[in-house]
Amino acid sequence: MYPSSPTSRHQPLLRTSSRSGYPRFIPVKYKNFYLILFTIILVGLILTGIFQFWPHSIDIREERESFSLYDVGHLEEVTVPLMSAIPDRGELECRMHSCFDPYQCQSSPNNRISVYIYPMKKYVDENSVPVMPSISREFQEVLTTIADSEYNTNDPAKACLFVPSIDLLNQNILRLRETGQVLGRLPRWNHGHHDFQLQGANHLLFNMLPGMEPDYNTALEVPRGKAILAGGGFSSWTYRPGYDVSIPVFNPFTADMELPGKPDGYSRPWLIVSAQTVIHMDFRAELDAVARDNDDVLVLDRCNDLPEGIPAHRRRCKEDRVYNYPDILQEATFCMILRGARMGQSALSDAMMAGCIPVIAIDTYVMPFSEVLDWKRAAVILREEDLPDVHNVLRRISQERITNMRRQVEFFWRSYFRSMKAITLTTLKVINDRAFRHASRSYEDWNDPTPKSGVTSPLFLPLIPTQAMGFTAVILTYDRVESLFRVITEIAKTPSLAKILVVWNNQAKAPPQGSTWPKVNKPLKVIQTTANKLSNRFHPYDEIETEAVLAIDDDIIMLTPDELEFGYEVWREFPDRLVGYPGRVHLWDNATKSWKYESEWTNDVSMVLTGAAFYHKYFGYLYSMAMPGDIKNWVDTHMNCEDIAMNFLIANVTGKAPIKVTPRKKFKCPECTNVDNLSADQSHMVERSVCINKFTDIYGMMPLKMVEHRADPVLYKDNFPEKLKRFNQVGPL
């Protein structure tokens, strides 16, 4: 034993072993250091194990991978009792305002819907027989796309939209009743409680092949309550406008193909090719007749007796001649798309993939994504009865338009059709635009392959506003009671009129007693203003509940109900335009180096007078609340030019010209009834010219657009019996 030193009695020693094998002693003051170090290492190992093996939130990519496989052996098995509740068949009256709960979307950030995908489960009946087959590759891609998208959420409490992990793409393999029972058992199907009035609300179902033999209905027949249906074969009878989403029928056999691009200017040898294999015999006979009369029409069918190993879906035949499919579609300018057993056809997607312009002859078919896509740009739509004349119709289309249509087809295919991923994302974008209308994409965003910079429409509307809403007629009046009553009586006959609003602008005289007003079948409301201002006619009154507003003077008695109804329908196609009847033009005067107002009867139009014009109520807000400079006050002070001010406003905001409707050039109005009235007064013309120049100075430019365009009813000048024309009472030239 080693002798201890005097200090060793006060400082214990820790015996250890040295590398030489001899024992050595470490002072206890280092012991704490090693203990702390050992503790840190131990805690680190424990925490590493916890994070490695303990359940926790993982990277979302790991969750998304679960949607790429469907192993029923590892899924939770759920038995669906025979007497489980079955949802309603589906309400045809559903619209976004009646069957969709927008408050579910309020927690969604950045004006973006949040979509929750239900966990996958294996549903079996009481006999342990699976209710539905294994998931298809196409539906795997639908779920994977949603999971990988910016819309995905893992928290159902924050979700705006719910997507069941139930493959409904092909109705042929579904047990309809049992599948409906599975939907009814979803936790959020009844909004999380037992309110059966809300069953299916805010749920999205994908279906591509609806109906089964022998009826082949055009919409999924699974009982689905208020769920939104993204369907691939809607007709106008089963489609719920602004609620359902019409999607294309995807072709899995051509999904992985890449056709070589054709160079610009490539001359396609065939004008028309029809390569569908399932066409009604009547249509086939008509197509064969067209092909017999024209050498540039090729009608193909499925092939018989192909050599073993050649896939039938890659070939089409005409007699003994075999063509590669869909390659042959690249050799055609136009591709026929006709009705088969089902209304939606995968031939449409195949034609677009080949850059072939579709010719659709399927009555009542709702085109894919027609809510946002302008198919007039990309396809030729024919009635089925016009099929025998298809060659003559297509021959009259100019090469310039063919080039533009082909470019549009390629843009639609690339952006919205080329894969299940593109179809799924487009569906979500359409629904997102509905839920957040103020932040929705514009018409140009959806349809323009080369978006243009500059002014765009500020209106957050569907492509065509619903006709059911109708329009509100706002009549500005002062003291012409007899003429006012005649105007009310005439416009009340217009079918789409929803309400009449009379703006009484005379503060010195009360409006007539209620018993003296005309008895009409439409609501009529009188508003008494507090000051005699022309701006009162454009004020966004709370009583205006429609999108469309007809501004009309109290002495415009010559417009017929047909002219008004036709004007409203034109406005529905162009809701961001000022659509009216009396046209005017602005001209540059080289002598005075200024603009002048002109009312000569020419074919040029840059303004329509708001004495009789349709506009969107949004522009009433802009006129009243956001008019540039002192234009509004200047108009009210001079009691003139409010119509010119509205033309300037709309043209500046949209960058578009107004639209004149009906052919009458000599429109009778307060300005132009005869040579003695105000319009013929040179001083009045000068004052109107002053307005144009003042407004131009305020805007810093001339926003008005000049066009030579007039909208006339179909068959207006054609020699047809009157009963065949929809609008008979339209004024003459």
Side-chain angles (χ1 to χ4, degrees):
M1 178 178 290
Y2 291 92
S4 59
S5 65
T7 58
S8 64
R9 287 175 294 192
H10 304 284
Q11 181 174 325
L13 299 176
L14 176 66
R15 185 181 298 272
T16 66
S17 296
S18 67
R19 285 187 296 177
S20 62
Y22 293 98
R24 65 184 179 87
F25 295 89
I26 301 176
V28 172
K29 66 178 180 179
Y30 296 113
K31 176 182 178 182
N32 293 337
F33 169 77
Y34 285 105
L35 287 176
I36 294 172
L37 179 62
F38 176 79
T39 302
I40 292 173
I41 294 173
L42 181 62
V43 171
L45 291 174
I46 294 174
L47 291 176
T48 301
I50 290 176
F51 280 106
Q52 182 68 28
F53 303 108
W54 194 262
H56 62 286
S57 60
I58 60 177
D59 189 291
I60 193 167
R61 287 174 295 183
E62 297 178 27
E63 292 184 311
R64 291 166 184 164
E65 288 174 1
S66 66
F67 294 113
S68 63
L69 300 173
Y70 190 67
D71 185 359
V72 296
H74 295 84
L75 294 178
E76 176 188 353
E77 186 171 293
V78 178
T79 300
V80 182
L82 179 64
M83 302 308 294
S84 294
I86 303 175
D88 295 335
R89 287 291 302 274
E91 297 185 21
L92 284 176
E93 296 78 18
C94 269
R95 299 297 184 268
M96 290 295 284
H97 67 272
S98 60
C99 294
F100 187 85
D101 183 5
Y103 298 104
Q104 288 280 122
C105 306
Q106 287 189 339
S107 61
S108 301
N110 303 322
N111 297 321
R112 185 184 304 136
I113 59 173
S114 298
V115 184
Y116 174 76
I117 304 175
Y118 282 99
M120 285 187 179
K121 297 181 180 181
K122 180 182 178 181
Y123 295 96
V124 298
D125 59 21
E126 293 180 341
N127 298 318
S128 297
V129 177
V131 170
M132 53 201 67
S134 297
I135 192 171
S136 65
R137 185 179 71 172
E138 289 72 36
F139 193 63
Q140 289 180 29
E141 190 169 354
V142 170
L143 296 182
T144 303
T145 298
I146 298 174
D148 286 338
S149 73
E150 60 185 355
Y151 303 103
N152 183 62
T153 180
N154 299 315
D155 186 354
K158 296 180 179 179
C160 168
L161 199 65
F162 300 88
V163 175
S165 298
I166 302 171
D167 189 349
L168 307 175
L169 290 180
N170 186 354
Q171 184 175 315
N172 285 332
I173 57 178
L174 297 179
R175 298 167 62 182
L176 303 185
R177 181 178 184 275
E178 290 80 359
T179 303
Q181 290 176 320
V182 170
L183 292 175
R185 293 173 60 86
L186 295 173
R188 300 276 172 167
W189 186 258
N190 296 319
H191 259 45
H193 46 76
H194 298 292
D195 187 353
F196 292 100
Q197 299 299 318
L198 298 173
Q199 56 177 308
N202 292 61
H203 282 67
L204 173 63
L205 310 178
F206 286 86
N207 169 253
M208 204 155 278
L209 298 178
M212 295 183 294
E213 291 184 300
D215 297 328
Y216 288 109
N217 189 16
T218 58
L220 178 68
E221 295 176 292
V222 171
R224 49 192 164 86
K226 290 178 167 59
I228 298 172
L229 180 60
F234 281 116
S235 77
S236 56
W237 295 97
T238 55
Y239 176 70
R240 297 171 292 184
Y243 194 70
D244 291 327
V245 181
S246 180
I247 63 176
V249 178
F250 182 73
N251 189 349
F253 296 114
T254 60
D256 299 327
M257 295 186 59
E258 281 289 342
L259 294 178
K262 295 295 183 181
D264 292 340
Y266 175 73
S267 179
R268 303 194 177 207
W270 300 100
L271 178 69
I272 306 172
V273 165
S274 171
Q276 282 182 249
T277 57
V278 181
I279 300 177
H280 192 279
M281 63 181 67
D282 292 342
F283 296 145
R284 174 70 65 182
E286 291 177 343
L287 276 178
D288 288 338
V290 173
R292 283 195 301 270
D293 296 336
N294 302 279
D295 295 336
D296 54 359
V297 178
L298 178 64
V299 179
L300 305 175
D301 206 343
R302 61 164 54 94
C303 299
N304 299 318
D305 303 324
L306 282 173
E308 186 175 353
I310 297 180
H313 65 269
R314 288 297 317 276
R315 301 292 187 269
R316 294 291 187 270
C317 291
K318 181 176 177 59
E319 299 174 348
D320 296 332
R321 180 113 184 238
V322 180
Y323 297 85
N324 291 330
Y325 181 87
D327 311 62
I328 184 59
L329 302 181
Q330 286 192 302
E331 306 301 316
T333 301
F334 298 98
C335 290
M336 290 301 310
I337 313 296
L338 298 171
R339 185 191 300 264
R342 288 186 172 89
M343 187 164 285
Q345 296 293 322
S346 61
L348 173 60
S349 291
D350 292 345
M352 297 176 69
M353 178 177 64
C356 186
I357 301 170
V359 180
I360 315 294
I362 308 176
D363 292 352
T364 75
Y365 177 46
V366 179
M367 295 293 291
F369 305 125
S370 57
E371 181 177 337
V372 294
L373 301 187
D374 187 352
W375 281 99
K376 296 190 296 294
R377 290 184 170 199
V380 178
I381 312 295
L382 293 179
R383 294 176 299 178
E384 292 173 352
E385 65 182 36
D386 293 331
L387 184 58
D389 196 39
V390 63
H391 189 271
N392 294 330
V393 171
L394 300 181
R395 269 295 180 198
R396 292 195 292 265
I397 298 178
S398 68
Q399 186 59 47
E400 181 183 5
R401 186 183 174 201
I402 288 173
T403 301
N404 292 334
M405 292 179 76
R406 185 174 295 134
R407 184 182 299 116
Q408 196 72 25
V409 165
E410 293 170 351
F411 171 67
F412 280 1
W413 164 256
R414 185 175 63 255
S415 303
Y416 311 121
F417 285 76
R418 68 179 305 158
S419 64
M420 287 302 300
K421 178 179 180 179
I423 293 171
T424 303
L425 289 178
T426 304
T427 301
L428 295 181
K429 289 175 183 176
V430 169
I431 298 174
N432 194 87
D433 279 6
R434 297 175 185 167
F436 299 99
R437 182 68 70 188
H438 62 283
S440 61
R441 294 163 182 79
S442 68
Y443 170 89
E444 287 79 9
D445 291 337
W446 281 107
N447 292 280
D448 200 337
T450 55
K452 300 176 178 61
S453 59
V455 183
T456 57
S457 172
L459 302 182
F460 315 113
L461 298 171
L463 189 57
I464 297 182
T466 174
Q467 189 172 11
M469 291 183 64
F471 66 90
T472 301
V474 178
I475 309 173
L476 184 69
T477 189
Y478 188 81
D479 197 17
R480 292 185 285 209
V481 175
E482 181 180 354
S483 175
L484 169 66
F485 286 178
R486 288 184 60 187
V487 171
I488 292 173
T489 302
E490 288 303 312
I491 64 175
K493 300 174 185 177
T494 309
S496 294
L497 176 70
K499 181 187 292 185
I500 300 174
L501 203 61
V502 176
V503 179
W504 188 263
N505 228 16
N506 189 342
Q507 290 74 46
K509 182 179 180 180
Q513 294 295 321
S515 59
T516 63
W517 289 77
K519 304 299 186 289
V520 294
N521 60 350
K522 302 292 174 67
L524 191 154
K525 177 72 178 291
V526 179
I527 294 179
Q528 294 182 259
T529 61
T530 57
N532 182 15
K533 297 180 179 180
L534 289 178
S535 300
N536 291 334
R537 78 179 317 155
F538 299 128
H539 187 80
Y541 299 103
D542 293 338
E543 288 77 7
I544 301 176
E545 299 174 313
T546 61
E547 293 180 343
V549 180
L550 170 66
I552 188 167
D553 286 340
D554 60 2
D555 59 349
I556 303 295
I557 60 176
M558 73 294 301
L559 282 175
T560 66
D562 272 2
E563 289 174 332
L564 290 171
E565 185 70 15
F566 175 66
Y568 172 60
E569 294 205 359
V570 172
W571 176 88
R572 286 183 60 239
E573 292 194 38
F574 305 96
D576 57 346
R577 309 283 192 98
L578 187 61
V579 177
Y581 301 86
R584 296 293 184 269
V585 69
H586 71 290
L587 300 172
W588 179 257
D589 190 340
N590 284 321
T592 62
K593 304 299 182 183
S594 62
W595 297 101
K596 70 175 182 177
Y597 174 86
E598 186 58 72
S599 62
E600 290 297 325
W601 308 117
T602 68
N603 291 325
D604 296 321
V605 175
S606 63
M607 294 174 280
V608 292
L609 303 187
T610 55
F614 288 93
Y615 66 92
H616 192 278
K617 65 179 180 181
Y618 173 76
F619 294 121
Y621 284 94
L622 289 186
Y623 188 101
S624 302
M625 314 298 182
M627 178 67 78
D630 64 342
I631 292 179
K632 183 170 176 286
N633 292 333
W634 196 93
V635 166
D636 290 335
T637 301
H638 290 76
M639 293 297 288
N640 201 349
C641 299
E642 85 285 1
D643 45 5
I644 299 177
M646 180 60 90
N647 276 273
F648 265 73
L649 175 70
I650 296 177
N652 180 66
V653 172
T654 66
K656 298 177 181 178
I659 295 179
K660 172 176 167 51
V661 292
T662 76
R664 61 168 95 216
K665 287 185 177 179
K666 294 186 177 180
F667 188 93
K668 296 179 181 179
C669 63
E671 286 192 291
C672 48
T673 52
N674 56 63
V675 296
D676 296 325
N677 76 359
L678 187 62
S679 180
D681 186 356
Q682 188 61 33
S683 64
H684 173 71
M685 300 298 290
V686 170
E687 186 171 357
R688 303 279 281 182
S689 298
V690 169
C691 291
I692 291 180
N693 285 284
K694 178 174 179 61
F695 299 165
T696 302
D697 290 341
I698 292 175
Y699 279 95
M701 64 173 183
M702 169 51 72
L704 298 180
K705 308 296 181 184
M706 188 92 68
V707 291
E708 290 186 5
H709 175 79
R710 185 188 71 213
D712 289 347
V714 176
L715 304 180
Y716 171 71
K717 297 182 69 176
D718 295 301
N719 188 21
F720 280 85
E722 293 298 315
K723 63 181 180 180
L724 298 181
K725 299 182 180 182
R726 185 177 173 196
F727 301 104
N728 293 321
Q729 302 301 318
V730 176
L733 287 171

